[in-house]
Amino acid sequence: MSGELERDYTVGDEIGRGRYGVVSRCHSTLTGECFAVKSIDKRLIQDDAVDSLCLQNEAKLMQLVSGHPNVIGFFDVYEDDDFLHVVLEYCAGGDLFQRITARPALAESEARRFLLPLMEAIAHCHNHGIAHRDIKPDNILFNSYNELKLADFGSAECFGGGGLMSGIVGTPYYVAPEVLAGRDYNETVDVWSAGVILYIMLAGIPPFYGESAHEIFEVVLRANLRFPRKVFSSVSAEAKDLLRRMLSKDVSRRFSADQVLRHPWMTNGGDSIDVGLLA
């Protein structure tokens, strides 16, 4: 453990674990305030050039986008020979995966209340030239005030100036087809992933399903979007229109994050967010 980190924070129990490290609860030695610290073991990725670059980028990119109310707060970074420690906002309210799997499907008003702050966060990142590239319910957290927070920028990339990105990153159900196809792609891969989340919230099932990662990749590559009548009979035409625009295989026709926020389904129901409904 970094001596400087231990000087400033008291590190407590583990609250999460990933491929390259752990997330622990910690408290400021000065104020007693609770935070989370993501400790990444650099020795585990020293032979992987791509992951090593992502590690170097993560803290830098988080500093650029932190400060938005729907992006997880970034506070400190410490580095020693073996570890990188990133001190983040502590989110005690769990993640979106837990909330949307607790019930078969959500009402459109509830789905909108999750999608709106998520798209605000994505638009904020895109307007700063940063693509998240791993939008999924597990990376969407809630703090103790039930505010939605986009987290885990380990796969994020800078595309400033309208540049394209490359590299296969993401999670099977949520990754865009152009990523799997090995083509260069733009930031709307995040819109695709958010569209998958919206579909799951409204239908209770993913739009592109397979029994294995390979099968999922095959159906994602085909991107044959369907709205089964049994599942979507009570879903509005406006919601299905938005899904078609977010889950367009033709990238030139896919909506940007800002366009999603301006879509009638978002704006017509865009009353103030009732925090109680997020609980």
Side-chain angles (χ1 to χ4, degrees):
M1 191 68 67
S2 168
E4 291 184 344
L5 173 67
E6 292 186 319
R7 177 197 65 203
D8 297 336
Y9 296 92
T10 301
V11 179
D13 53 313
E14 179 182 319
I15 56 176
R17 179 173 288 270
R19 189 163 42 140
Y20 296 127
V22 300
V23 179
S24 304
R25 189 181 287 108
C26 67
H27 292 82
S28 168
T29 56
L30 184 63
T31 67
E33 186 177 357
C34 186
F35 297 90
V37 57
K38 183 176 183 179
S39 298
I40 304 164
D41 190 338
K42 297 191 294 185
R43 295 165 297 184
L44 296 177
I45 62 173
Q46 58 190 4
D47 295 328
D48 189 320
V50 173
D51 285 337
S52 181
L53 182 61
C54 287
L55 168 63
Q56 295 170 33
N57 284 342
E58 182 174 6
K60 296 176 184 176
L61 298 184
M62 287 201 68
Q63 289 182 68
L64 292 175
V65 296
S66 181
H68 187 277
N70 299 119
V71 175
I72 193 167
F74 171 95
F75 293 97
D76 279 309
V77 61
Y78 301 86
E79 186 170 8
D80 55 36
D81 290 341
D82 297 325
F83 284 89
L84 180 74
H85 305 282
V86 183
V87 180
L88 304 166
E89 177 180 4
Y90 176 58
C91 290
D95 60 38
L96 184 60
F97 181 82
Q98 296 167 331
R99 299 191 181 206
I100 65 177
T101 55
R103 288 175 286 169
L106 303 183
E108 288 187 39
S109 59
E110 292 179 279
R112 186 185 297 111
R113 285 174 169 87
F114 288 125
L115 187 66
L116 179 59
L118 173 60
M119 294 311 305
E120 293 276 10
I122 293 172
H124 170 75
C125 293
H126 290 181
N127 291 335
H128 282 74
I130 294 168
H132 185 282
R133 300 201 301 173
D134 195 17
I135 302 288
K136 59 182 177 180
D138 318 57
N139 288 338
I140 300 165
L141 309 180
F142 296 88
N143 65 13
S144 56
Y145 301 103
N146 272 321
E147 295 167 330
L148 181 147
K149 303 284 181 173
L150 180 59
D152 197 344
F153 284 75
S155 297
E157 183 60 270
C158 181
F159 63 88
L164 296 176
M165 296 165 283
S166 61
I168 298 179
V169 296
T171 302
Y173 280 124
Y174 307 96
V175 67
E178 63 268 26
V179 176
L180 294 178
R183 301 194 301 268
D184 290 348
Y185 49 86
N186 65 22
E187 70 276 12
T188 63
V189 295
D190 289 342
V191 175
W192 173 280
S193 301
V196 173
I197 293 173
L198 175 59
Y199 189 105
I200 292 172
M201 288 194 292
L202 295 175
I205 56 174
F208 310 107
Y209 178 77
E211 294 290 345
S212 66
H214 178 72
E215 287 184 12
I216 296 167
F217 290 159
E218 286 187 336
V219 294
V220 169
L221 282 167
R222 289 197 294 271
N224 186 12
L225 182 63
R226 297 178 183 273
F227 299 112
R229 186 174 301 176
K230 184 178 180 181
V231 178
F232 278 88
S233 59
S234 61
V235 175
S236 70
E238 290 83 1
K240 287 183 277 193
D241 179 74
L242 178 57
L243 283 168
R244 290 188 190 96
R245 296 173 188 275
M246 296 178 75
L247 295 173
S248 171
K249 185 178 181 181
D250 183 347
V251 178
S252 69
R253 299 173 64 87
R254 189 181 305 159
F255 265 13
S256 69
D258 287 325
Q259 286 175 309
V260 172
L261 289 167
R262 295 194 299 268
H263 188 274
W265 187 80
M266 298 288 278
T267 58
N268 290 348
D271 46 355
S272 59
I273 294 175
D274 182 353
V275 171
L277 285 172
L278 293 177

